[in-house]
Protein backbone atom coordinates (compact mmCIF):
# COMPACT_ATOMS: atom_id res chain seq x y z
CA UNK A 1 0.00 0.00 0.00
CA UNK A 2 1.27 3.43 -0.89
CA UNK A 3 1.20 4.95 2.58
CA UNK A 4 3.46 2.22 3.90
CA UNK A 5 6.38 3.39 1.81
CA UNK A 6 9.09 4.97 3.91
CA UNK A 7 10.30 7.40 1.28
CA UNK A 8 7.17 9.52 1.19
CA UNK A 9 6.60 12.54 3.47
CA UNK A 10 4.34 12.12 6.43
CA UNK A 11 1.85 14.52 4.88
CA UNK A 12 1.50 12.62 1.64
CA UNK A 13 1.33 9.46 3.68
CA UNK A 14 -1.56 10.81 5.71
CA UNK A 15 -3.41 11.95 2.63
CA UNK A 16 -3.05 8.58 0.98
CA UNK A 17 -4.14 6.89 4.19
CA UNK A 18 -7.28 8.97 4.40
CA UNK A 19 -8.15 8.30 0.80
CA UNK A 20 -7.74 4.61 1.22
CA UNK A 21 -9.81 4.65 4.39
CA UNK A 22 -12.62 6.37 2.56
CA UNK A 23 -12.55 3.76 -0.16
CA UNK A 24 -12.52 0.88 2.29
CA UNK A 25 -14.97 2.17 4.91
CA UNK A 26 -18.04 1.45 2.85
CA UNK A 27 -17.16 -2.20 2.62
CA UNK A 28 -16.46 -2.60 6.35
CA UNK A 29 -19.19 -3.99 8.52
CA UNK A 30 -20.26 -2.16 11.63
CA UNK A 31 -22.77 -2.65 14.39
CA UNK A 32 -26.02 -0.83 13.90
CA UNK A 33 -26.53 -0.46 17.62
CA UNK A 34 -26.65 2.88 19.45
CA UNK A 35 -23.64 3.51 21.68
CA UNK A 36 -24.15 2.51 25.29
CA UNK A 37 -23.39 5.38 27.58
CA UNK A 38 -20.70 4.37 30.04
CA UNK A 39 -21.80 5.15 33.54
CA UNK A 40 -19.37 7.47 35.22
CA UNK A 41 -18.70 6.00 38.55
CA UNK A 42 -16.48 7.50 41.19
CA UNK A 43 -15.56 4.17 42.70
CA UNK A 44 -12.18 2.70 41.83
CA UNK A 45 -11.54 -0.93 42.53
CA UNK A 46 -8.24 -1.60 44.21
CA UNK A 47 -7.15 -5.10 45.03
CA UNK A 48 -3.97 -4.32 46.87
CA UNK A 49 -3.70 -3.60 50.57
CA UNK A 50 -0.61 -1.48 49.98
CA UNK A 51 -2.56 1.46 48.61
CA UNK A 52 -5.35 1.28 51.17
CA UNK A 53 -3.29 1.06 54.31
CA UNK A 54 -0.26 3.02 53.10
CA UNK A 55 2.14 0.20 53.83
CA UNK A 56 5.85 0.98 53.80
CA UNK A 57 8.45 -0.59 51.56
CA UNK A 58 9.15 -4.22 52.38
CA UNK A 59 12.93 -4.22 52.39
CA UNK A 60 14.48 -2.91 55.59
CA UNK A 61 17.80 -2.80 57.33
CA UNK A 62 18.63 -1.67 60.87
CA UNK A 63 21.71 -0.43 62.70
CA UNK A 64 23.75 -0.19 59.55
CA UNK A 65 23.62 -3.83 58.55
CA UNK A 66 23.14 -2.95 54.90
CA UNK A 67 23.80 0.76 54.22
CA UNK A 68 22.36 0.71 50.71
CA UNK A 69 19.06 -0.60 51.96
CA UNK A 70 18.99 2.04 54.68
CA UNK A 71 19.45 4.75 52.08
CA UNK A 72 16.70 3.17 50.04
CA UNK A 73 14.39 3.09 53.03
CA UNK A 74 14.76 6.82 53.54
CA UNK A 75 14.19 7.43 49.86
CA UNK A 76 11.12 5.25 49.57
CA UNK A 77 9.45 6.44 52.70
CA UNK A 78 10.08 10.07 51.95
CA UNK A 79 8.41 9.59 48.58
CA UNK A 80 5.23 8.68 50.40
CA UNK A 81 5.53 11.51 52.88
CA UNK A 82 6.24 14.09 50.19
CA UNK A 83 2.61 14.04 49.30
CA UNK A 84 1.61 14.91 52.84
CA UNK A 85 4.21 17.54 53.61
CA UNK A 86 3.75 20.17 50.95
CA UNK A 87 4.16 23.30 53.02
CA UNK A 88 7.24 24.66 54.76
CA UNK A 89 10.45 23.69 53.12
CA UNK A 90 12.19 26.41 55.09
CA UNK A 91 15.28 25.16 56.76
CA UNK A 92 16.08 26.64 60.12
CA UNK A 93 18.83 29.19 59.73
CA UNK A 94 22.03 28.81 61.70
CA UNK A 95 22.76 32.52 61.42
CA UNK A 96 20.12 35.10 62.28
CA UNK A 97 18.91 37.55 59.70
CA UNK A 98 20.49 40.54 61.45
CA UNK A 99 23.89 38.97 61.47
CA UNK A 100 23.52 38.15 57.82
CA UNK A 101 22.72 41.79 57.08
CA UNK A 102 25.75 43.01 58.99
CA UNK A 103 28.05 40.59 57.25
CA UNK A 104 26.69 41.54 53.89
CA UNK A 105 27.39 45.21 54.49
CA UNK A 106 31.07 44.63 55.09
CA UNK A 107 31.23 41.99 52.40
CA UNK A 108 29.96 44.35 49.75
CA UNK A 109 32.73 46.81 50.63
CA UNK A 110 35.56 44.33 50.44
CA UNK A 111 34.41 42.70 47.24
CA UNK A 112 33.60 46.07 45.77
CA UNK A 113 37.21 47.20 46.24
CA UNK A 114 38.34 44.36 44.05
CA UNK A 115 36.51 45.73 41.07
CA UNK A 116 37.61 49.34 41.36
CA UNK A 117 39.87 50.79 38.71
CA UNK A 118 43.51 51.27 39.60
CA UNK A 119 43.18 55.01 40.15
CA UNK A 120 40.35 54.58 42.55
CA UNK A 121 42.20 51.90 44.49
CA UNK A 122 44.98 54.40 45.19
CA UNK A 123 42.46 56.86 46.54
CA UNK A 124 41.10 54.29 48.93
CA UNK A 125 44.55 53.50 50.16
CA UNK A 126 45.20 57.20 50.83
CA UNK A 127 41.95 57.49 52.68
CA UNK A 128 43.01 54.69 54.97
CA UNK A 129 46.36 56.31 55.78
CA UNK A 130 45.02 59.71 56.71
CA UNK A 131 46.54 59.78 60.16
CA UNK A 132 49.30 62.26 59.27
CA UNK A 133 52.22 59.92 59.13
CA UNK A 134 54.56 59.94 56.23
CA UNK A 135 54.78 56.80 54.17
CA UNK A 136 58.09 55.04 53.82
CA UNK A 137 58.88 52.28 51.46
CA UNK A 138 61.58 49.62 51.81
CA UNK A 139 64.49 51.95 51.14
CA UNK A 140 63.23 54.46 53.66
CA UNK A 141 62.51 56.98 50.96
CA UNK A 142 59.65 59.18 51.66
CA UNK A 143 56.93 58.66 49.14
CA UNK A 144 55.41 61.94 48.06
CA UNK A 145 51.70 61.91 48.73
CA UNK A 146 49.18 62.84 46.16
CA UNK A 147 46.77 65.23 47.71
CA UNK A 148 44.03 65.39 45.15
CA UNK A 149 42.53 62.70 43.04
CA UNK A 150 43.48 63.18 39.44
CA UNK A 151 40.45 64.09 37.46
CA UNK A 152 40.04 64.07 33.77
CA UNK A 153 41.41 67.39 32.42
CA UNK A 154 39.54 68.54 29.44
CA UNK A 155 41.95 69.60 26.72
CA UNK A 156 41.66 73.26 26.02
CA UNK A 157 41.14 74.22 22.47
CA UNK B 1 -24.41 -0.08 49.88
CA UNK B 2 -25.45 3.61 49.80
CA UNK B 3 -25.17 6.20 47.04
CA UNK B 4 -21.73 7.06 45.71
CA UNK B 5 -20.37 10.24 47.36
CA UNK B 6 -18.77 13.08 45.46
CA UNK B 7 -15.10 12.65 44.57
CA UNK B 8 -13.02 9.53 44.10
CA UNK B 9 -13.47 6.55 46.32
CA UNK B 10 -11.17 3.57 46.53
CA UNK B 11 -12.87 0.29 47.08
CA UNK B 12 -10.22 -2.04 48.39
CA UNK B 13 -9.82 -5.77 48.86
CA UNK B 14 -12.90 -7.55 50.05
CA UNK B 15 -15.24 -5.15 48.27
CA UNK B 16 -16.50 -5.24 44.75
CA UNK B 17 -18.41 -2.76 42.67
CA UNK B 18 -21.78 -3.94 41.44
CA UNK B 19 -24.11 -1.56 39.69
CA UNK B 20 -24.10 1.64 41.68
CA UNK B 21 -23.15 0.10 45.00
CA UNK B 22 -20.65 -2.20 46.62
CA UNK B 23 -20.76 -5.87 47.44
CA UNK B 24 -18.79 -7.46 50.18
CA UNK B 25 -16.88 -10.55 49.14
CA UNK B 26 -14.87 -11.38 52.26
CA UNK B 27 -15.60 -11.61 55.94
CA UNK B 28 -13.79 -9.29 58.29
CA UNK B 29 -13.76 -5.79 59.71
CA UNK B 30 -14.72 -2.90 57.48
CA UNK B 31 -12.04 -0.21 57.56
CA UNK B 32 -12.33 3.33 56.34
CA UNK B 33 -9.76 5.94 55.49
CA UNK B 34 -11.16 9.45 55.14
CA UNK B 35 -8.06 11.23 53.77
CA UNK B 36 -6.02 10.90 50.60
CA UNK B 37 -8.60 9.44 48.31
CA UNK B 38 -11.16 8.05 50.72
CA UNK B 39 -11.02 4.29 50.90
CA UNK B 40 -13.08 1.44 52.27
CA UNK B 41 -11.80 -2.10 52.58
CA UNK B 42 -12.37 -5.28 54.50
CA UNK B 43 -9.62 -6.30 56.87
CA UNK B 44 -9.65 -10.07 56.63
CA UNK B 45 -7.23 -12.75 57.70
CA UNK B 46 -5.85 -15.48 55.51
CA UNK B 47 -2.74 -17.52 54.97
CA UNK B 48 -3.03 -18.24 51.28
CA UNK B 49 -1.75 -15.51 49.01
CA UNK B 50 -3.52 -14.40 45.83
CA UNK B 51 -1.26 -12.50 43.43
CA UNK B 52 -2.15 -8.85 43.09
CA UNK B 53 -0.62 -6.42 40.62
CA UNK B 54 1.95 -4.13 42.17
CA UNK B 55 2.59 -6.24 45.27
CA UNK B 56 6.20 -6.86 46.28
CA UNK B 57 6.78 -10.55 47.02
CA UNK B 58 9.54 -13.00 47.79
CA UNK B 59 9.73 -15.79 45.27
CA UNK B 60 11.85 -18.94 45.02
CA UNK B 61 13.16 -19.95 41.61
CA UNK B 62 11.92 -23.42 40.77
CA UNK B 63 12.76 -23.77 37.11
CA UNK B 64 14.61 -22.13 34.30
CA UNK B 65 12.79 -22.45 30.98
CA UNK B 66 14.81 -20.82 28.24
CA UNK B 67 14.69 -17.08 28.88
CA UNK B 68 12.12 -17.18 31.61
CA UNK B 69 12.35 -18.22 35.26
CA UNK B 70 9.50 -19.87 37.09
CA UNK B 71 9.07 -18.59 40.62
CA UNK B 72 7.06 -20.07 43.40
CA UNK B 73 5.24 -17.23 45.19
CA UNK B 74 2.77 -19.24 47.21
CA UNK B 75 -0.12 -18.69 44.84
CA UNK B 76 -2.01 -21.15 42.71
CA UNK B 77 0.44 -20.88 39.83
CA UNK B 78 4.14 -20.30 39.53
CA UNK B 79 4.90 -16.76 38.38
CA UNK B 80 7.13 -16.10 35.42
CA UNK B 81 10.08 -13.74 35.46
CA UNK B 82 11.97 -12.79 32.34
CA UNK B 83 15.74 -12.53 32.54
CA UNK B 84 15.54 -9.03 31.03
CA UNK B 85 13.50 -7.73 33.93
CA UNK B 86 16.55 -6.97 36.05
CA UNK B 87 18.41 -3.71 36.28
CA UNK B 88 21.15 -3.53 33.70
CA UNK B 89 20.27 -6.81 32.06
CA UNK B 90 20.71 -7.21 28.33
CA UNK B 91 20.76 -10.18 26.05
CA UNK B 92 24.52 -10.44 26.44
CA UNK B 93 24.61 -9.51 30.12
CA UNK B 94 22.38 -12.05 31.81
CA UNK B 95 21.64 -12.01 35.53
CA UNK B 96 23.16 -14.82 37.50
CA UNK B 97 20.05 -16.62 38.71
CA UNK B 98 20.11 -20.29 39.69
CA UNK B 99 17.34 -22.66 40.68
CA UNK B 100 16.70 -22.24 44.38
CA UNK B 101 17.58 -18.55 44.52
CA UNK B 102 15.44 -16.10 46.43
CA UNK B 103 14.10 -13.13 44.50
CA UNK B 104 12.30 -10.00 45.64
CA UNK B 105 10.15 -8.53 42.90
CA UNK B 106 6.79 -7.05 42.10
CA UNK B 107 3.89 -8.27 40.01
CA UNK B 108 3.48 -6.76 36.60
CA UNK B 109 0.46 -8.83 35.63
CA UNK B 110 -1.72 -10.61 38.13
CA UNK B 111 -5.31 -11.55 37.45
CA UNK B 112 -7.38 -14.66 37.65
CA UNK B 113 -7.25 -15.30 33.91
CA UNK B 114 -3.53 -15.22 33.31
CA UNK B 115 -0.33 -16.60 34.70
CA UNK B 116 1.21 -13.99 37.01
CA UNK B 117 4.27 -12.20 35.73
CA UNK B 118 6.93 -10.61 37.88
CA UNK B 119 9.63 -8.07 37.30
CA UNK B 120 12.56 -6.87 39.39
CA UNK B 121 12.64 -3.30 38.15
CA UNK B 122 10.18 -0.49 38.62
CA UNK B 123 8.58 1.68 35.96
CA UNK B 124 11.66 3.90 35.61
CA UNK B 125 13.99 0.96 35.04
CA UNK B 126 15.68 1.06 38.45
CA UNK B 127 15.84 -1.92 40.71
CA UNK B 128 15.10 0.03 43.94
CA UNK B 129 15.90 -2.86 46.24
CA UNK B 130 14.43 -5.65 44.14
CA UNK B 131 16.35 -8.52 42.63
CA UNK B 132 18.24 -11.52 43.93
CA UNK B 133 18.47 -11.73 47.69
CA UNK B 134 21.97 -12.72 48.72
CA UNK B 135 23.41 -15.61 50.61
CA UNK B 136 22.63 -16.62 54.18
CA UNK B 137 19.63 -15.47 56.09
CA UNK B 138 16.48 -17.33 56.99
CA UNK B 139 13.18 -17.55 55.13
CA UNK B 140 9.93 -18.39 56.88
CA UNK B 141 6.22 -18.02 56.34
CA UNK B 142 3.63 -16.15 58.38
CA UNK B 143 0.03 -15.17 57.83
CA UNK B 144 -0.81 -12.25 55.57
CA UNK B 145 -2.38 -10.29 58.39
CA UNK B 146 0.89 -10.21 60.31
CA UNK B 147 2.74 -8.94 57.27
CA UNK B 148 0.34 -6.06 56.97
CA UNK B 149 0.73 -5.31 60.64
CA UNK B 150 4.51 -5.28 60.28
CA UNK B 151 4.41 -3.09 57.20
CA UNK B 152 2.13 -0.50 58.77
CA UNK B 153 3.83 2.86 59.15
CA UNK B 154 5.46 3.12 62.61
CA UNK B 155 5.03 -0.50 63.54
CA UNK B 156 5.96 -1.09 67.17
CA UNK B 157 7.28 -4.60 66.65
CA UNK B 158 9.76 -3.46 64.05
CA UNK B 159 10.80 -0.45 66.09
CA UNK B 160 11.43 -2.55 69.17
CA UNK B 161 13.35 -5.19 67.22
CA UNK B 162 15.51 -2.59 65.55
CA UNK B 163 16.87 -1.63 68.97
CA UNK B 164 18.20 -5.15 69.57
CA UNK B 165 20.83 -5.99 66.97
CA UNK B 166 21.74 -4.88 63.48
CA UNK B 167 19.87 -7.01 61.00
CA UNK B 168 18.28 -6.98 57.59
CA UNK B 169 14.68 -7.81 56.87
CA UNK B 170 12.70 -8.39 53.71
CA UNK B 171 8.93 -8.73 53.92
CA UNK B 172 6.97 -10.17 51.02
CA UNK B 173 3.25 -9.57 50.72
CA UNK B 174 2.84 -13.29 50.10
CA UNK B 175 3.51 -14.05 53.73
CA UNK B 176 7.23 -14.75 53.43
CA UNK B 177 9.83 -13.05 55.56
CA UNK B 178 13.60 -13.23 55.13
CA UNK B 179 15.86 -12.25 58.00
CA UNK B 180 19.62 -11.96 58.14
CA UNK B 181 21.69 -11.00 61.17
CA UNK B 182 25.35 -11.33 62.07
CA UNK B 183 25.13 -14.69 63.81
CA UNK B 184 22.81 -17.63 63.39
CA UNK B 185 21.61 -17.26 66.96
CA UNK B 186 20.57 -13.64 66.49
CA UNK B 187 18.79 -14.54 63.27
CA UNK B 188 16.82 -17.27 64.99
CA UNK B 189 15.88 -15.00 67.86
CA UNK B 190 14.43 -12.46 65.46
CA UNK B 191 12.59 -15.18 63.56
CA UNK B 192 11.03 -16.50 66.76
CA UNK B 193 9.91 -13.09 67.90
CA UNK B 194 8.34 -12.28 64.55
CA UNK B 195 6.50 -15.57 64.44
CA UNK B 196 5.29 -15.30 67.99
CA UNK B 197 4.25 -11.66 67.70
CA UNK B 198 1.15 -12.76 65.86
CA UNK B 199 -0.35 -14.03 69.06
CA UNK B 200 1.55 -12.20 71.75
CA UNK B 201 0.20 -9.05 73.29
CA UNK B 202 2.36 -5.95 73.39
CA UNK B 203 3.16 -6.56 77.05
CA UNK B 204 4.37 -10.09 76.52
CA UNK B 205 6.49 -8.97 73.62
CA UNK B 206 8.16 -6.26 75.63
CA UNK B 207 8.90 -8.71 78.41
CA UNK B 208 10.48 -11.14 75.97
CA UNK B 209 12.60 -8.38 74.42
CA UNK B 210 13.65 -7.11 77.82
CA UNK B 211 14.89 -10.59 78.73
CA UNK B 212 16.85 -10.79 75.50
CA UNK B 213 18.49 -7.41 75.75
CA UNK B 214 19.36 -8.21 79.33
CA UNK B 215 21.26 -11.35 78.32
Amino acid sequence: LQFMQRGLDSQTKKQLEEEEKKIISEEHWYLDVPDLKEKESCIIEERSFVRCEDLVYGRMSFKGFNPEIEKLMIQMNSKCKEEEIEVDDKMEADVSDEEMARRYETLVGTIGKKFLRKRDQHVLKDDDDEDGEVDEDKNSNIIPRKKAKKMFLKPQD
Amino acid sequence: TGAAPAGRLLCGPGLRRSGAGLLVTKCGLLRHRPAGPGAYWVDSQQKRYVPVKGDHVLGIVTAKAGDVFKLDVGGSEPASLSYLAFEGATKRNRPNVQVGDLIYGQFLVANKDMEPEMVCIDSSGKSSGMGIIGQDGFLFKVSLGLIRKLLAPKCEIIQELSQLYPFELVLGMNGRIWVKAKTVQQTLIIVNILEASEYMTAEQRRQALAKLSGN
Side-chain angles (χ1 to χ4, degrees):
Chain A
L1 291 163
Q2 277 258 302
F3 67 86
M4 285 187 193
Q5 286 178 2
R6 283 190 203 176
L8 293 177
D9 312 325
S10 55
Q11 256 200 347
T12 38
K13 265 196 236 175
K14 275 184 205 168
Q15 277 178 359
L16 287 168
E17 230 187 273
E18 281 168 41
E19 285 172 12
E20 284 178 359
K21 265 193 208 169
K22 279 183 216 163
I23 299 169
I24 298 172
S25 66
E26 290 177 358
E27 298 177 346
H28 278 176
W29 292 16
Y30 56 91
L31 285 171
D32 204 8
V33 168
D35 282 329
L36 283 172
K37 216 179 167 188
E38 203 188 286
K39 291 181 206 163
E40 241 196 62
S41 73
C42 322
I43 305 178
I44 311 171
E45 265 194 40
E46 168 79 51
R47 286 181 55 216
S48 165
F49 277 106
V50 176
R51 299 285 305 277
C52 293
E53 298 180 356
D54 291 330
L55 301 179
V56 301
Y57 191 61
R59 201 149 177 195
M60 311 180 205
S61 155
F62 301 104
K63 292 207 169 180
F65 196 80
N66 193 337
E68 291 169 6
I69 303 286
E70 302 213 349
K71 266 189 249 167
L72 197 71
M73 274 170 76
I74 301 173
Q75 222 185 6
M76 288 292 199
N77 296 336
S78 72
K79 253 194 241 171
C80 303
K81 281 187 188 166
E82 246 176 37
E83 295 166 2
E84 293 176 11
I85 303 173
E86 293 164 351
V87 197
D88 258 11
D89 266 334
K90 255 197 228 172
M91 288 209 300
E92 283 190 6
D94 294 323
V95 186
S96 75
D97 292 335
E98 289 158 354
E99 241 206 87
M100 267 304 272
R102 253 183 279 144
R103 288 284 170 87
Y104 254 124
E105 265 180 349
T106 54
L107 195 70
V108 166
T110 43
I111 303 264
K113 270 196 226 167
K114 192 174 157 186
F115 294 105
L116 284 178
R117 292 176 296 160
K118 247 191 172 172
R119 278 189 213 148
D120 300 338
Q121 278 178 357
H122 248 296
V123 176
L124 275 175
K125 197 182 162 201
D126 284 346
D127 285 341
D128 288 341
D129 295 338
E130 254 179 34
D131 39 4
E133 284 179 6
V134 186
D135 286 337
E136 290 183 354
D137 70 355
K138 293 175 219 167
N139 305 332
S140 308
N141 295 334
I142 296 171
I143 306 169
R145 279 248 221 106
K146 293 166 206 145
K147 287 189 182 168
K149 182 181 169 181
K150 280 187 181 170
M151 296 286 291
F152 174 68
L153 293 169
K154 191 169 174 185
Q156 286 157 354
D157 291 329
Chain B
T1 44
R8 281 190 330 169
L9 188 67
L10 269 169
C11 109
L15 294 173
R16 190 174 294 197
R17 201 175 54 186
S18 84
L22 293 175
L23 274 182
V24 177
T25 51
K26 287 238 173 86
C27 59
L29 292 168
L30 182 69
R31 303 272 187 213
H32 172 54
R33 182 183 71 187
Y40 285 92
W41 70 93
V42 177
D43 196 357
S44 59
Q45 174 67 298
Q46 61 184 56
K47 286 190 178 177
R48 189 80 171 159
Y49 178 67
V50 173
V52 169
K53 180 176 170 174
D55 263 3
H56 295 266
V57 291
L58 274 168
I60 304 175
V61 181
T62 51
K64 221 167 148 182
D67 294 336
V68 148
F69 306 112
K70 291 286 178 207
L71 293 173
D72 165 42
V73 292
S76 54
E77 277 188 288
S80 71
L81 171 63
S82 161
Y83 75 100
L84 289 171
F86 290 85
E87 186 175 10
T90 57
K91 283 190 187 168
R92 303 266 176 97
N93 179 19
R94 287 165 182 245
N96 186 14
V97 175
Q98 307 302 324
V99 172
D101 274 353
L102 193 60
I103 298 210
Y104 189 59
Q106 64 178 349
F107 282 109
L108 190 66
V109 169
N111 50 41
K112 60 182 169 71
D113 303 316
M114 289 165 61
E115 175 195 51
E117 276 178 39
M118 278 180 59
V119 287
C120 288
I121 52 173
D122 62 11
S123 51
S124 61
K126 289 191 215 156
S127 67
S128 59
M130 297 188 272
I132 307 173
I133 305 278
Q135 297 291 315
D136 310 326
F138 190 91
L139 177 77
F140 62 104
K141 194 169 184 324
V142 293
S143 71
L144 308 191
L146 179 64
I147 298 278
R148 276 185 280 125
K149 221 198 303 182
L150 291 171
L151 281 175
K154 298 191 187 143
C155 168
E156 286 180 358
I157 310 173
I158 300 275
Q159 281 176 347
E160 287 170 21
L161 271 179
S162 64
Q163 309 296 322
L164 268 186
Y165 329 105
F167 68 97
E168 196 187 335
L169 183 66
V170 180
L171 295 155
M173 292 293 289
N174 52 347
R176 292 188 185 160
I177 305 183
W178 180 83
V179 180
K180 180 173 170 183
K182 287 200 178 139
T183 67
V184 176
Q185 200 187 28
Q186 289 180 353
T187 313
L188 288 173
I189 291 173
I190 298 174
V191 167
N192 285 327
I193 295 193
L194 284 171
E195 274 181 334
S197 60
E198 178 147 23
Y199 298 112
M200 276 203 290
T201 63
E203 264 311 303
Q204 291 170 326
R205 196 177 63 233
R206 270 173 227 144
Q207 280 174 10
L209 284 169
K211 263 194 251 172
L212 284 169
S213 50
N215 284 355

